[in-house]
Structures are given as structure tokens and as C-alpha cells.
Amino acid sequence: MAYLAPIHRPSSVRHALKIRLLEPDADCLVVAKANRLEIYAQHHDGITLAHTKVIYGKVTMLEKLHFAQSPTEHLFVGTDRYMYFTLSWDNESQQLSSQKTYIDQSDKTSRDSQTQDRCHVDPTKQFMALQLYDGIVTILPLIGKGKKKGPSEAFSLGEPVPTRIKEFFVRSSCFLYPTETADAGPRLAILYEDNHQKVCLSIKRLDFSPGGAGDPGSANLIDLTARDDLELGASHLIPVPAPAYGLLILTESTIAFIDGATGELTNKPLDEPAIFVTWAEMDAQRWLLADDYGRLFLLMLVIGNHGAKSFQIHMIGNTSRASVLVHLGSGLVFVGSHQGDSQVIKIHEGGIVLVQNLPNIAPILDFAVMDMGNRSGEGRSNEYSSGQARIVTGSGAFQDGSLRSIRSGVGMEEQGLLGEMNHTSDLFPLASSGGKAHSDVLAASFVDETRVFRFFSDGEVEELEDFMGMSFSEGSLWLSNITGNRLLQVTSSRAMILDLDSGMVTAEWSAQDASPITVASAKEERLVISTGGSEAIIFDLTRDLHIIARRKFSQEGQISCIHVPTICPDICVIGFWQSASVAILSISSLETLRKAVMSDNAVNVPRSVALTQLIADGAPTLLVGMANGEVVTFSMSLTGFELGSRKATILGTQGPTFKILPRSGELSNVFAICEHSSLIYGSEGRIMYSAVTAEEASCVCPFDCEAYPEAIALATPKDLRIALVDTERTTHVQTLKVNATVRRVAYSPKLKAFGIGAIYRELKSGYEMIQSHFKLADEVMFKELDSHTLYSDELVESCIRADLRDGSGELVERFVVGTAYMDLDGQDVVRGRIMVFAVTPERKLQVVSELATMGACRALDVIDGNIVAALVKTVIIYSLNAPNLTKLATYRTSTAPIALSVSGSEIAIADLMKSVSVVSYTRPTHPGGSHSLVEVARHFQTAWATAVAHVEDHTWLESDAEGNLMVLKQNVAGVTADDRRRLEVVSEIQLGEMVNRIRTVEVEHSGTAVVVPKAFMATVDGSVYLFALITPAKQDLLMRLQQAIAARVQSPGNVPFNAYRAFRNSVREAEEPFRFVDGELIEKFLDCPATLQESICTELGLKEQVDVEEMRTMVEGLRRIH
């Protein structure tokens, strides 16, 4: 039973349009990213995200529909499942509303379009044409509200009417603008390639006859004109409106114009060839053109005297390689990209200027997982959600190629560095006078001193040699401003009150028996300290350190921590060592009001406590940091101080220290400092834990100064800095531009470096030059350390880091690279190479072995210290005996092996056409014996595999080119030998995106875990998913929960969840996902109203076993793992 959850959602943009969807008189931008629609509001300085919605299907078509009686335009959406529907904006609910429920246009007897799905609305806005299958155009009449139309038919589409055409391989198509003298009926232009590979143009007139009741009518496309004298490189048709009327044809070397009235063809040669990929209309005589190299052109149609027409085309700048262009108005243009960042640019007389950059990590060709908390390369890894695991992807292509670092957590942006300071023990924000609204002084405490820094409004910082009579010769346990324009300082030997006006000590206290002060906490009027570790003393700060109460704790034992809360001035909270307990005491008498035993283990004791308001309209939360790295939370009543809703969360292995950070209103966040520092905050009525991207925080404090508002001060073991911290967890993506296709990425924890296979492309004098390199890069800044240039016609195909046996039998770390050659003139030629690189102590690459192969090396892995190479039709095991690679064993595959996964002595081989086979590697049992590879299992169904990974004993995860995921399990308990060598499908689902790479992970998990993470997956559309296996005890629960939520959550177009996620390929189509749980759907349980949550639990018969609160807790835990 499998579980799937998104870590990074798709970012590739293939479709976008400008539409008046949200308001009648305001344009917005709708962008399709795989199965998501994003709606952006337009501004003079860019766009901002206004709404996002998940679609049950991958979006393949977008179009806007205008109905005369509708105040706003409607959005037409088509998906890869041949379903289409229309959406409008509901102002009351502020959500997209389904205007036309989905219509299924799938036809198993027709052949899918070999190019792309298309939809066009004719200029008269009467008809829409869909091209989904070769040789078929589907016509949909647009229905407006009329006298004979019912409410359900108003502002909608008519019934689809298919009509056949003889043109099959369609390159482009469009409706032509009607001329003043044109015959009645819309005209459709089709650019296609015939059976003789000639590029032809056909213009047809639509003849549509509406039907009666129950009859959709009939449609015919009647040939008007045809021509076959076009260039072979013709790719796009652009309809030209009045006053020119006609058709532009874009080719690689010319731009042609066909006059709409006379049919005359005019050609203009380009100054240099260009492969145009998309276009956008600016007005009736100007168009933007984008080519495959990221160049942007402006095309102008000039109408001279007597109607003569000519062209002017100018290159105006470079952008990301565009998939779609949208002119937003006022010179702003949206550049949507699949293989680079999407952009908003502004056109001016001198060219273009970048206004806004929208990050995109698609397509992800390869990725590596860095474990920031465990760099030994051994043992189990940290979970991604802990923020310690970082995913580094090879993203984009050619000039848009880059390395992207993806990490989950609370972002921290450094604002300034105060300097190197070792072993800061605590930080305190101070104000130099009582009337200041902001802090302007930062105090840093060390073991034997206290240092003070003054911040000025312009950002300048000065370290002070003295400040208001403070003691600088010892470390400070507490420093804060108090009422009366005074300052409180507590050290291990004394407590002092200093007057900020005179700089004099006005009150001082120290223990008569010289007992050291071990812990201190204070608020405006009260100070609580512990002396000798066993006695607590409360001082009245308004009466110059007058002792209100003191108490010795003999039974509870030594005091480990003290906290005086702001939200409840009548109490203080104290943690104890020996009793491993936490007590709530009266701040006036030290009487115990409530007590909670935290652990029965004397080693696991409270180390830090904090009481604050995390959740709006909820009870205050008491947080207790335990010595074993656990955080225990309670909700506390302000009247009787009862403690309830105890929950425990493990942050790490060290006891966390808490610092409260102010948030909006009366809410606060809590910064938990440990080896995996985290921010604890309230969201959607729940307590959330999110890793902070600061790796080595030793102490923090809020520091809201004039130069750095709402900042924090953060100390690491080496320095002190000022930073801004987010209030909630997000996914953080850092970019390093490579300007090349990062084809392969391999990471070495031992070397703290990446091996990168990169492919550079350059256009020189109209010729495309390709050059591949293998690079060694630093893990932190990805700085290039060394590079090895491959042959001019050689491409990097695979790359791994491996521990290989050298000639002496010892394991040595190496990078192994597999390549392929592009130009092959004969059959018996070298088709690739395998190269083994060592890294010298100077961090340089050194070739230690090289082998020419008769097939391209598509994949590499390592087994028992030997190299496993996937060549065309063959998998070979090589041993390294530098400088030679010796063949040990071979296995013949069905077609072409595309991916490998090694587990123990077994190798799973993903075949290009024949799914997965598993072979067993056997070493010789006696001297002189031979190595062998023997097939032990096979998946006998057809599947165009793209990746495979071992996820459990005898279990593998496979992805295919049609967007499916399959979990395959070997039937080792089968009765017959054929049964035992069969790989059975135990889970399957339609992901909707093609997976390029699967990387397995192994993380620590508790015995009560609902799911166990097993792998990360990266897709062509820029998504990263977490794959997990569901523990047996929760399988039935999650499956039934998925069904219950799917039945209640309506998707745009009302597309059924089961139809969306059901397995589908060219051979077989299922009705629903099989034993696979969609985590994104499960997490929608938290967004449901409380009554609906209770209804779901009641339907599942869970109220007696699991209450709604426990269900919410379980789903929150699932959300936190990614």
C-alpha cells in the first residue's frame, strides 16, 4: 500500500492567457502548471498571485469564452484525459465555479494527435474548434442566453459535433478573421505535413447546421484553397485582422504573408535562421515572436500606398526559452517557460527590461539528496521536512539550465554580520531609554563577559565599552528593560537594577552564602531566580529588589529552568531535574498550583519551558523542552491553570532551548534551538513545527530595531548576525545559473562535492555547437573546482558516485561517467564511453580508467564494489583494475535499459518498452569460476519505463512515460517457479506527470508512524514528490478516508477523482487507483468544516475507535512529513 505527497508543486508553464475572469473591467493572467491553475492580478509593475486551484487532470488547452449576457469572460479548460469544462468566477465564494460540467471526448478508435491538442475560437465568437485526434476536428457551438435557452444552457457550450478532415500531421491551425467581402461561415487554416513530407496549407470553410431536440447538429469543413509550395521549416500560422486581413506563416528562414483577399503569397527572408516556438499579438500590425534560443523578436506588418504590404522584424532581447507569450498591455509581456524561469518583461524603445522573475525548476533531469545533518554517507537520513535534507536538482535546458537547491523550512534572510564571536551563550534586546519604541542595543553574553552593541537608525553598529553601569566582566543570565526607565541585569553572582538616566546602580542583591544564581527570568514587575539550584526567590522590581517569597524545593530536586510568562502575570513556570517535572506556581507566594510529571526516566528531564499564545482564539500553550530532544506541549486554562491536550514531538537528540518571538497581534512564535532548530507556530488552529534554514544557531532573540524592523539576532558558534525570519514554513529554492543542461548530478558526502554532467549549446553563424563537460563543484556555493571536457560529438548520459574495489581489493571513492556519441556513420563503431574519475587532494579530477563501448551508456550503478552499466540491449558488470575495466558478467535485455536500481545482489532493470526485470548477480564460488547475471523476476506487462527504485524487500517502484506509478512486488511465496518469477502490481496510480528520476531514502521512523518515507521523485514538469509505504495498521483507514473525502470534495468541472487518478496507458485503462493514497487529497480533511470532518469519521465508523481530534492529528502528522 503506497502513499504519495507533493514536496514541490509543478512550476513548468506551457499554457497561459489573458482574460477578464475576476472582474468585468480588469484583465488577469491565467497560467496552467500541469494540474494546477494559477490566476494572477495585473499591476503596472508585474503580477501577483490571486488564486490557485487544483485540476483533476493535466491541462492541455486554455481558451477564453465571451457570452454577451455574462459580465465576465469564462475559462475553457481541456485536460490530457480528453475532458473539457468551463469555469467562471463566483464573487460571493471567491472561488472558481463550474459553468459546464466535464465532457468526455475520449475515443479509443481514433489516433491521438501526433503534435499537440489545440482549441480555437472563431473571431465571430460563434464556434470553437478542438483538435484532439488526427483527422478529426470537433466543433462546439457557443450558446448565449436566449429566449429559448434554459438557465442550465445559458453562457455555455453546445454539444460537440465531430467532423473529419484529410489532414493528419497538423503543425499549426487557426481561424481566419472574416473580411468584408468574405462568404458566410468561419474559415479554418491548417498547416500540415502530407505523406510525402511536404508542408502544405489548407483553408476550409465551416458549414454548421444546428440540430433539433436531442440532435447535436452536423458540421462540415469544406475545402476552399490549398497550396503545397511552402518551406519545409514552416511551423506557425498567425491570423491577421483588419485592415490587412490575411495569414502569416513562420518558417525557419522566411516569413510569408498570404493576402486574405487575393491569396497572393509574399515572402521576406530572415537575416539569420530562427526556430520559432511561440508568438503573441500586440495589436493588428505587430506581433512578438520567440525562438528556441530565447531570442525575442518584434514583427511589424507595414501597409503602404495602394495596400502594398511589407515586413519589418527586429530582435529586441533575450528571455528564457518561451513556451507561451501573453501581451498584458502597456508594454508588459508574460513569458511562460517550460525549461527556464517564467518572466514578466517590459518592452521599450531600447529593447526589453526584466520586471519580474517567476522561478521554475522544470524539467528536472536528475537530482541528488544532501543530508545536512548526516554527512558521513552512512546510516539513516533525516526527513525532508526536518529541513536537514536538501534536494539539489539539475533543472532547465541549455541557456536556461541551472542547479536548484530545494529545502523545506522557515526561511531566514541574513541582514548583517556583526563579526566573529565564539560561543555566545545568550542574547538580549535592550533600549537605551524607556521611551523608545524600538530596541537599539543588543547585549551578547559569554561565559566570562558581556558585550554590548549600539545600533543607529542608518544601520551603523558600535560596540560600547560601558553601558549604564552594567557589569561587563561576567556573563549575564538575564538582561531586560523594566518600568521606571530602568534596566535589570542578573549574573551568576548578583542581580542589579540600573537607572537609564543617571547610569547608576540603584539596587543590588546577592546571596549571603555566596550561592551562585543558576537560572533567572523576569517581566516588568517580577524577577524569579534560582540560587544554588534548589531555592527559588521572587523579587518585586518596583520596590528595588524586595524579596516577596522564597522557597526551597527538597522533594522536587534541582531547578533546571524558569519562565515568567507575559500573558499570565500571576504565575511562573519551573522545571525540575530529579523529579523530571514541571510546576506552575503563584508568583506572589511560590505556592504550587499545578504540577505535571514529564518522564519517569531520570535522564530525560525538562531543560527549557515557555508559555505563550500560539493559536488565535485558543488557550495558551505551555511548551517543555526535554533533554532527549522532545518538545511536549500542553494547552493551559487561564482560570484554573489546568493542563490538557498533551502532545509530544521529537525535534532532534539534544534538549531544545526556547525563545519567544512576537508575531502579529497578541500571538507569538517560539524558536526552538537545537541541532535541528525549528520554529513552532500556530496555523489553521494547529501547532506546527518547521525547520529553520539556519544550520548552526546557538541562541537567538527578537531584535526589532529601527534599521532592521522585526528582525532577530542570531548567534552561531562562530559569529553573530542580524536576520529576518519567516513566520511560517515554505519551500525554499536557491538557484545557481549554469547556462547549460545539467544532465546528471552525483553527490559525495565524503568529498563534500558534486559531480555534474553538463551539456552546453551555442549558436555560431547559424550553426548549433554542442559541447559536454564533467565538472566537480563545491557543495555549498556550487563553485566549479575542476572540469573535464568530452569530445565534441559526445553527450553525458549517466553519472554516479561509487565506492569501487581497486586492484588491491580496497574500496575507493570514484565518480563514474557514461557517455554516448551523437553522429554514427556505421554499425561497427564506438557508440559511447565509460570513464572513471578520482578526485585528488587538491580537489582536481583525474581519469583513472576509460573504456569505449559499443552502445550508449544510459545508466550506471554499483554492486559489490563493481560497476553496473546499462548499454543498448545489454547490462554489463565491470570490475575496476586501473587503468582497465574488466567485463565480469552480461545480461541481454528486451530493448534498451533506461534505469537501474541495485539492492543487495539484485539489479532491477527498467526497460524502455518492456517494463522491469530483476536479475541476480552471483560471484564465483571457487577460483577460476565465472560471474553470472540470472533473471529471477519480470513484470510481463508492457510499460515504457522511465525510472525504477527498490523501496522494500522484493518490492520496486516504477514510473512510465505516460505518467503512471506502479509498485511491483515479487511473488516469492508462489507455488510454481513461474509464479515466483512474476512481478505483481500491488499499487498503481496515474500521477499525470512523467517521472525522470527516483532516489530512495532511508529515514528513522517511530513505531507509531502512519507512513514510512521511501523515495523522492522528480518530474518533467518541475514537481518533487515524496513516496512512502503505509504501515499495515493504517492501510484500510487511509483508503476509506480517501474515498470519503473524494466523494465530498468537488473539483473544477466536477471531474471524478477516481477517473483522474486511475492507471492509464496505451494498453490498459483502469477505473480507479489501486491501493494508492493521494496525500494531497487526504490533507484536504484539515480544510473541511468541523461538521464535515465529523460526518466523514461517522461514515467510516471511526467515532468509536478514533475521534475527530485524533484524525486531525494523524493527518497533520502526514502533512508534516513533507
Side-chain angles (χ1 to χ4, degrees):
M1 183 75 74
Y3 185 86
L4 182 72
I7 287 176
H8 185 276
R9 291 178 170 83
S11 55
S12 162
V13 176
R14 299 181 192 264
H15 307 278
L17 56 79
K18 184 174 71 171
I19 181 175
R20 295 192 171 185
L21 180 68
L22 303 180
E23 298 178 15
D25 55 352
D27 290 322
C28 63
L29 177 71
V30 176
V31 174
K33 298 180 178 179
N35 69 328
R36 305 182 74 82
L37 288 178
E38 294 183 352
I39 303 173
Y40 291 86
Q42 293 182 211
H43 306 285
H44 68 279
D45 57 348
I47 57 177
T48 55
L49 183 64
H51 186 72
T52 183
K53 194 70 175 178
V54 175
I55 301 295
Y56 281 0
K58 186 175 182 179
V59 178
T60 57
M61 297 181 292
L62 284 180
E63 190 55 86
K64 59 182 176 182
L65 305 177
H66 179 74
F67 300 100
Q69 291 81 8
S70 175
T72 58
E73 293 175 321
H74 293 191
L75 180 65
F76 173 91
V77 182
T79 73
D80 60 342
R81 289 260 174 160
Y82 306 108
M83 297 178 181
Y84 67 82
F85 47 87
T86 61
L87 305 172
S88 62
W89 183 254
D90 187 341
N91 273 320
E92 291 186 6
S93 64
Q94 291 293 294
Q95 293 288 330
L96 288 172
S97 173
S98 299
Q99 195 69 31
K100 177 78 171 180
T101 302
Y102 80 97
I103 301 296
D104 190 347
Q105 281 293 290
S106 58
D107 184 356
K108 296 181 180 179
T109 63
S110 300
R111 185 174 68 181
D112 295 348
S113 174
Q114 298 177 63
T115 51
Q116 66 181 44
D117 295 345
R118 296 181 177 86
C119 63
H120 306 291
V121 175
D122 86 289
T124 64
K125 297 181 173 56
Q126 298 181 53
F127 301 97
M128 172 181 276
L130 306 181
Q131 291 176 262
L132 309 176
Y133 299 98
D134 285 341
I136 297 176
V137 176
T138 303
I139 304 298
L140 290 86
L142 304 185
I143 300 175
K145 188 173 183 180
K147 294 181 180 179
K148 298 183 179 180
K149 303 294 188 295
S152 62
E153 294 178 310
F155 318 136
S156 188
L157 296 172
E159 292 299 314
V161 181
T163 180
R164 292 196 172 272
I165 57 174
K166 64 179 183 296
E167 296 81 10
F168 278 77
F169 194 89
V170 177
R171 293 188 176 184
S172 182
S173 60
C174 67
F175 276 110
L176 301 182
Y177 287 94
T179 62
E180 296 176 357
T181 59
D183 295 333
R187 292 176 299 161
L188 182 67
I190 299 176
L191 182 70
Y192 68 99
E193 185 179 323
D194 67 9
N195 294 332
H196 304 289
Q197 296 185 338
K198 293 181 65 177
V199 179
C200 309
L201 176 68
S202 175
I203 298 178
K204 303 173 181 291
R205 178 173 59 83
L206 173 62
D207 182 14
F208 183 82
S209 299
D215 181 11
S218 62
N220 290 299
L221 287 170
I222 302 170
D223 291 331
L224 296 179
T225 60
R227 58 195 315 152
D228 59 0
D229 56 347
L230 303 180
E231 287 195 17
L232 189 61
S235 58
H236 291 80
L237 299 179
I238 302 177
V240 179
Y245 289 120
L247 184 67
L248 285 167
I249 305 174
L250 305 182
T251 75
E252 293 181 4
S253 58
T254 64
I255 292 179
F257 176 74
I258 298 179
D259 193 291
T262 65
E264 180 183 354
L265 178 67
T266 305
N267 281 303
K268 175 178 176 58
L270 298 175
D271 294 336
E272 59 177 312
I275 303 173
F276 295 110
V277 291
T278 188
W279 59 273
E281 179 181 302
M282 293 191 69
D283 54 38
Q285 293 178 234
R286 294 186 304 166
W287 295 266
L288 288 171
L289 311 178
D291 79 347
D292 193 45
Y293 295 89
R295 297 179 297 182
L296 192 64
F297 299 86
L298 180 63
L299 171 65
M300 292 184 288
L301 179 62
V302 181
I303 303 177
N305 297 330
H306 311 293
K309 301 174 181 68
S310 61
F311 309 108
Q312 292 181 6
I313 183 168
H314 305 282
M315 178 182 165
I316 59 175
N318 289 280
T319 67
S320 299
R321 196 269 192 192
S323 299
V324 61
L325 294 173
V326 179
H327 180 229
L328 302 175
S330 303
L332 289 177
V333 177
F334 173 73
V335 181
S337 180
H338 165 64
Q339 60 187 46
D341 290 341
S342 295
Q343 300 167 328
V344 177
I345 61 171
K346 188 174 182 63
I347 301 174
H348 56 85
E349 290 185 3
I352 63 173
V353 60
L354 179 64
V355 175
Q356 190 174 354
N357 196 72
L358 306 173
N360 166 35
I361 67 171
I364 302 175
L365 303 179
D366 197 4
F367 72 96
V369 181
M370 288 179 62
D371 189 346
M372 307 302 293
N374 174 21
R375 304 198 187 184
S376 65
E378 301 175 357
R380 293 179 178 266
S381 304
N382 288 292
E383 289 188 10
Y384 170 79
S385 61
S386 72
Q388 300 302 311
R390 187 168 76 174
I391 297 174
V392 178
T393 67
S395 299
F398 300 118
Q399 70 270 14
D400 298 314
S402 62
L403 284 169
R404 308 285 177 125
S405 172
I406 306 171
R407 192 172 178 185
S408 174
V410 174
M412 186 172 292
E413 181 181 353
E414 184 177 317
Q415 300 294 298
L417 182 67
L418 269 69
E420 294 185 359
M421 300 178 200
N422 296 328
H423 309 300
T424 307
S425 59
D426 212 342
L427 296 170
F428 305 94
L430 301 173
S432 57
S433 65
K436 284 188 174 290
H438 297 275
S439 299
D440 61 347
V441 175
L442 178 65
S445 175
F446 300 85
V447 175
D448 55 357
E449 66 172 338
T450 299
R451 299 170 66 179
V452 173
F453 302 87
R454 179 76 174 267
F455 284 72
F456 298 93
S457 58
D458 59 357
E460 291 293 320
V461 182
E462 176 189 6
E463 183 172 2
L464 305 179
E465 295 183 0
D466 60 79
F467 180 68
M468 303 300 175
M470 276 179 52
S471 172
F472 282 13
S473 61
E474 52 188 333
S476 296
L477 298 176
W478 187 267
L479 274 166
S480 65
N481 290 89
I482 57 176
T483 56
N485 199 28
R486 297 175 302 162
L487 184 70
L488 171 67
Q489 181 183 17
V490 181
T491 68
S492 59
S493 62
R494 55 182 171 165
M496 297 182 293
I497 294 179
L498 304 100
D499 184 72
L500 292 177
D501 294 326
S502 63
M504 302 292 291
V505 177
T506 60
E508 182 176 343
W509 180 92
S510 60
Q512 293 182 354
D513 58 356
S515 298
I517 302 173
T518 56
V519 191
S521 180
K523 284 300 173 279
E524 292 291 325
E525 298 180 354
R526 295 291 184 268
L527 166 66
V528 182
I529 66 170
S530 170
T531 59
S534 60
E535 184 180 26
I537 306 175
I538 298 179
F539 297 89
D540 186 346
L541 300 179
T542 63
R543 297 164 60 188
D544 291 337
L545 295 176
H546 173 73
I547 296 178
I548 299 175
R550 60 195 308 164
R551 177 180 173 184
K552 276 216 171 209
F553 295 91
S554 55
Q555 293 182 351
E556 291 83 354
Q558 297 267 326
I559 295 173
S560 60
C561 48
I562 296 175
H563 173 64
V564 180
T566 303
I567 59 172
C568 190
D570 300 329
I571 62 171
C572 64
V573 185
I574 298 181
F576 299 95
W577 286 98
Q578 277 82 354
S579 60
S581 62
V582 170
I584 298 174
L585 301 101
S586 168
I587 204 163
S588 59
S589 64
L590 284 177
E591 176 190 356
T592 301
L593 304 176
R594 295 288 171 185
K595 184 177 179 181
V597 176
M598 306 305 301
S599 170
D600 55 3
N601 184 350
V603 178
N604 188 22
V605 297
R607 298 296 302 269
S608 182
V609 289
L611 177 64
T612 189
Q613 190 76 38
L614 293 178
I615 302 171
D617 303 323
T621 301
L622 174 65
L623 301 98
V624 183
M626 306 297 289
N628 65 348
E630 192 176 52
V631 175
V632 181
T633 62
F634 299 90
S635 63
M636 192 193 79
S637 167
L638 289 177
T639 54
F641 308 113
E642 293 89 356
L643 298 177
S645 302
R646 174 172 174 158
K647 295 179 182 178
T649 302
I650 296 176
L651 292 186
T653 59
Q654 301 173 5
T657 301
F658 298 134
K659 275 299 179 78
I660 297 174
L661 305 180
R663 200 177 175 181
S664 58
E666 297 182 355
L667 298 181
S668 299
N669 292 342
V670 175
F671 199 109
I673 306 162
C674 57
E675 78 270 31
H676 298 160
S677 294
S678 298
L679 189 75
I680 306 173
Y681 60 94
S683 177
E684 301 174 353
R686 321 301 297 172
I687 297 175
M688 308 296 291
Y689 297 79
S690 296
V692 180
T693 53
E695 295 176 20
E696 298 179 310
S698 57
C699 53
V700 301
C701 75
F703 191 63
D704 183 18
C705 66
E706 191 172 352
Y708 304 103
E710 300 181 354
I712 66 168
L714 180 143
T716 72
K718 296 181 180 179
D719 55 42
L720 179 60
R721 60 190 70 178
I722 305 298
L724 292 176
V725 63
D726 294 341
T727 57
E728 295 186 358
R729 184 184 82 174
T730 56
T731 297
H732 300 272
V733 179
Q734 294 177 319
T735 303
L736 176 75
K737 292 291 290 184
V738 179
N739 300 318
T741 301
V742 181
R743 176 87 166 132
R744 292 290 178 255
V745 178
Y747 174 61
S748 168
K750 182 179 178 181
L751 297 172
K752 296 184 179 180
F754 285 94
I756 301 169
I759 304 173
Y760 289 81
R761 181 181 69 169
E762 189 177 3
L763 196 63
K764 290 184 177 180
S765 303
Y767 289 92
E768 186 178 78
M769 310 297 292
I770 301 291
Q771 183 65 63
S772 292
H773 301 262
F774 178 69
K775 298 176 178 292
L776 184 69
D778 178 75
E779 72 167 7
V780 179
M781 299 302 295
F782 301 111
K783 177 183 176 182
E784 183 178 314
L785 302 174
D786 198 14
S787 178
H788 180 88
T789 303
L790 304 183
Y791 297 141
S792 59
D793 59 346
E794 193 175 19
L795 296 178
V796 174
E797 289 283 356
S798 52
C799 170
I800 62 169
R801 182 216 68 89
D803 291 322
L804 302 178
R805 299 186 187 277
D806 60 5
S808 64
E810 296 294 327
L811 289 177
V812 292
E813 186 173 40
R814 297 288 184 260
F815 284 106
V816 187
V817 178
T819 71
Y821 292 107
M822 292 185 289
D823 299 323
L824 303 175
D825 299 325
Q827 295 296 321
D828 298 327
V829 295
V830 173
R831 296 171 181 264
R833 281 193 299 169
I834 297 175
M835 307 176 69
V836 181
F837 292 90
V839 179
T840 66
E842 296 77 24
R843 308 193 84 181
K844 300 293 182 182
L845 292 172
Q846 178 183 358
V847 179
V848 296
S849 185
E850 178 181 335
L851 177 69
T853 61
M854 298 299 291
C857 184
R858 303 293 187 193
L860 290 165
D861 213 320
V862 61
I863 187 170
D864 195 25
N866 300 314
I867 298 171
V868 186
L871 310 180
V872 176
K873 278 190 163 294
T874 312
V875 173
I876 303 177
I877 295 182
Y878 294 99
S879 66
L880 174 63
N881 190 4
N884 300 317
L885 288 174
T886 305
K887 184 188 296 185
L888 299 180
T890 63
Y891 168 76
R892 191 77 170 170
T893 61
S894 299
T895 55
I898 203 73
L900 300 170
S901 178
V902 173
S903 174
S905 62
E906 292 185 332
I907 307 170
I909 304 166
D911 191 87
L912 182 64
M913 296 175 62
K914 296 296 183 181
S915 195
V916 171
S917 58
V918 180
V919 297
S920 178
Y921 168 60
T922 305
R923 294 176 62 87
T925 56
H926 55 84
S930 60
H931 301 255
S932 65
L933 283 174
V934 179
E935 182 177 299
V936 295
R938 174 182 288 273
H939 182 226
F940 289 94
Q941 297 180 16
T942 299
W944 293 71
T946 60
V948 66
H950 180 267
V951 293
E952 199 178 41
D953 291 344
H954 309 293
T955 307
W956 291 266
L957 172 65
E958 177 192 7
S959 63
D960 70 13
E962 293 171 281
N964 297 297
L965 294 176
M966 292 172 283
V967 179
L968 307 175
K969 188 176 183 67
Q970 184 181 1
N971 184 14
V972 292
V975 177
T976 66
D978 285 343
D979 291 338
R980 290 190 291 273
R981 66 186 299 266
R982 187 178 298 275
L983 290 177
E984 300 175 343
V985 177
V986 294
S987 299
E988 64 182 15
I989 197 173
Q990 166 73 212
L991 179 63
E993 303 173 54
M994 190 179 84
V995 173
N996 263 343
R997 182 68 67 188
I998 305 174
R999 298 285 189 193
T1000 56
V1001 292
E1002 199 173 350
V1003 300
E1004 294 283 359
H1005 61 90
S1006 65
T1008 59
V1010 179
V1011 299
V1012 181
K1014 289 295 183 180
F1016 293 129
M1017 302 181 296
T1019 74
V1020 171
D1021 289 288
S1023 299
V1024 180
Y1025 290 91
L1026 172 70
F1027 171 84
L1029 293 177
I1030 306 173
T1031 54
K1034 300 295 183 181
Q1035 291 178 0
D1036 179 66
L1037 173 62
L1038 288 181
M1039 283 297 297
R1040 290 193 293 140
L1041 180 60
Q1042 176 173 263
Q1043 293 175 358
I1045 297 175
R1048 288 167 169 80
V1049 175
Q1050 293 297 318
S1051 69
N1054 300 321
V1055 178
F1057 172 80
N1058 284 342
Y1060 163 52
R1061 285 303 192 191
F1063 178 94
R1064 184 193 63 174
N1065 63 14
S1066 57
V1067 178
R1068 179 173 64 90
E1069 186 168 342
E1071 295 183 354
E1072 61 183 2
F1074 175 60
R1075 293 170 57 82
F1076 226 119
V1077 174
D1078 183 346
E1080 192 169 17
L1081 179 67
I1082 291 293
E1083 290 166 16
K1084 288 183 179 180
F1085 179 84
L1086 300 176
D1087 302 327
C1088 295
T1091 54
L1092 184 56
Q1093 291 179 349
E1094 187 172 346
S1095 172
I1096 291 173
C1097 291
T1098 302
E1099 178 188 325
L1100 300 180
L1102 298 175
K1103 290 201 69 177
E1104 296 77 12
Q1105 308 169 30
V1106 182
D1107 61 20
V1108 176
E1109 179 64 28
E1110 289 177 338
M1111 180 66 77
R1112 278 199 294 260
T1113 301
M1114 182 190 73
V1115 178
E1116 284 171 359
L1118 292 174
R1119 175 184 282 180
R1120 280 197 296 269
I1121 67 173
H1122 64 92

